[in-house]
Amino acid sequence: MKENREDDLYKRIVEKLDSEEIESNSEYINLYDLVNLCHEEMKSYNDYFSENIKSRSKKINNPSRVHGFFNENILFIHDVIPEVINDKSIVNIIFENSNERYAGEMEITNDGVRLLNFDEKKYNNNQNIVFLDKCSESFKVFLKVLDYFRNNYRGIDFRWDRNHPSDNAKLDVYSDDKMLHASVNLGDLKHTFVNLNSFDDILIATSRSSKYGILYDYIEFYNEALQKRLKVNINDLNPMYREIYNKNENTVSLTKKQ
């Protein structure tokens, strides 16, 4: 029985790989082309925020690590989330204390800086005052990048949050027979991956077979080829993806078969 299921899955995977690539046109675009378009459009934003959040947070947190070793009332940066919402640029800085417990937030906008859910009495010491000033000064530069994004994508909300990406950032793509599935995240495009959609198929594919080895190896090795065989209806794209497509429609024509 197991052998029959392995044979069936192997056959279906090979049939997918032997099928014609989806030719991107005015109605459909294959997943591979769409991800490449999005990558070119989003790379500068994603790289800027990713690299600067990491480096600036580390630089600000390091002095606090020294002073806060024996003091639970010393603040640290837990996360930084840039976003555009309701046509407004916002940088949210989430704080934690030395016990890694939530300690409030700082919201930076073009109108100024404010603290949210913040216990000023508890964290009112010189170390934290210097820390908060550094946070404000270091991350307000993000507003220029957010303003640039906002002017290019008017009326579209977006959030750079690795744990809770905005709805506009997400796209789920399925093959017509629902055998394959891919989740796309505009904030993390390099990890776009086509997977088997059925849990039963995944169990079979990840179990070693005496006849086929591990079938999941085909999914991993030929993932780029599978992306070229998944089609996305352009009319079904959410506003953010549709805007990226519209901005780069001429580039799509270069991917069509000659």
Side-chain angles (χ1 to χ4, degrees):
M1 183 66 178
K2 179 184 176 184
E3 288 75 11
N4 291 338
R5 294 168 66 192
E6 289 172 349
D7 289 338
D8 173 67
L9 180 57
Y10 173 78
K11 180 181 177 182
R12 286 187 285 130
I13 292 174
V14 171
E15 285 177 350
K16 287 291 182 190
L17 293 171
D18 286 343
S19 65
E20 290 289 325
E21 293 180 6
I22 302 297
E23 181 181 347
S24 296
N25 54 47
S26 58
E27 291 185 61
Y28 297 98
I29 184 171
N30 69 56
L31 179 61
Y32 179 82
D33 284 347
L34 179 62
V35 170
N36 280 337
L37 282 185
C38 292
H39 176 73
E40 289 302 311
E41 187 71 18
M42 296 298 296
K43 185 179 186 301
S44 58
Y45 298 108
N46 292 342
D47 288 351
Y48 176 83
F49 287 130
S50 176
E51 293 168 7
N52 277 280
I53 287 172
K54 183 177 180 180
S55 62
R56 291 167 187 259
S57 295
K58 182 178 181 180
K59 185 176 181 179
I60 295 172
N61 275 341
N62 279 344
S64 292
R65 297 292 177 202
V66 176
H67 291 86
F69 191 77
F70 297 107
N71 186 349
E72 68 175 27
N73 293 340
I74 294 297
L75 294 169
F76 301 91
I77 296 172
H78 172 74
D79 203 358
V80 179
I81 301 172
E83 67 177 336
V84 171
I85 185 167
N86 296 327
D87 202 34
K88 189 173 185 179
S89 301
I90 303 173
V91 181
N92 296 295
I93 306 175
I94 302 171
F95 302 127
E96 65 182 15
N97 60 25
S98 54
N99 290 331
E100 298 185 346
R101 293 183 177 178
Y102 175 77
E105 303 176 28
M106 174 181 283
E107 181 184 88
I108 306 173
T109 69
N110 288 309
D111 297 325
V113 178
R114 64 173 181 159
L115 296 173
L116 306 172
N117 305 317
F118 190 80
D119 189 338
E120 294 192 33
K121 290 183 179 180
K122 183 176 181 180
Y123 299 111
N124 184 22
N125 59 61
N126 289 334
Q127 175 66 23
N128 286 335
I129 292 172
V130 172
F131 171 88
L132 292 173
D133 284 342
K134 286 182 178 179
C135 287
S136 174
E137 286 300 312
S138 184
F139 290 105
K140 69 180 181 181
V141 69
F142 282 14
L143 293 175
K144 293 182 180 180
V145 181
L146 291 170
D147 288 344
Y148 182 82
F149 175 89
R150 181 164 51 87
N151 289 330
N152 276 284
Y153 293 93
R154 293 192 175 276
I156 297 178
D157 294 346
F158 197 84
R159 180 175 65 249
W160 281 266
D161 184 348
R162 61 181 180 272
N163 295 317
H164 304 96
S166 57
D167 290 340
N168 268 333
K170 297 181 288 186
L171 179 69
D172 287 305
V173 180
Y174 296 88
S175 59
D176 290 339
D177 59 4
K178 300 296 191 265
M179 174 187 169
L180 301 174
H181 166 249
S183 291
V184 187
N185 177 2
L186 286 175
D188 191 20
L189 289 160
K190 63 184 178 181
H191 290 130
T192 302
F193 190 81
V194 177
N195 208 340
L196 294 165
N197 186 42
S198 162
F199 182 67
D200 286 341
D201 283 348
I202 293 174
L203 285 179
I204 296 168
T206 53
S207 300
R208 179 169 293 279
S209 162
S210 58
K211 188 174 183 180
Y212 302 112
I214 298 177
L215 284 172
Y216 199 78
D217 289 345
Y218 288 86
I219 303 298
E220 291 188 330
F221 188 79
Y222 295 108
N223 212 266
E224 185 176 294
L226 293 172
Q227 290 184 36
K228 293 177 180 179
R229 287 159 175 80
L230 282 182
K231 69 178 179 180
V232 181
N233 189 326
I234 293 167
N235 288 327
D236 290 340
L237 294 173
N238 69 38
M240 182 66 192
Y241 282 86
R242 184 59 187 263
E243 186 67 17
I244 291 175
Y245 175 82
N246 289 342
K247 287 176 178 291
N248 298 277
E249 189 172 1
N250 292 333
T251 305
V252 178
S253 66
L254 298 177
T255 71
K256 295 179 181 179
K257 295 178 181 176
Q258 302 298 319

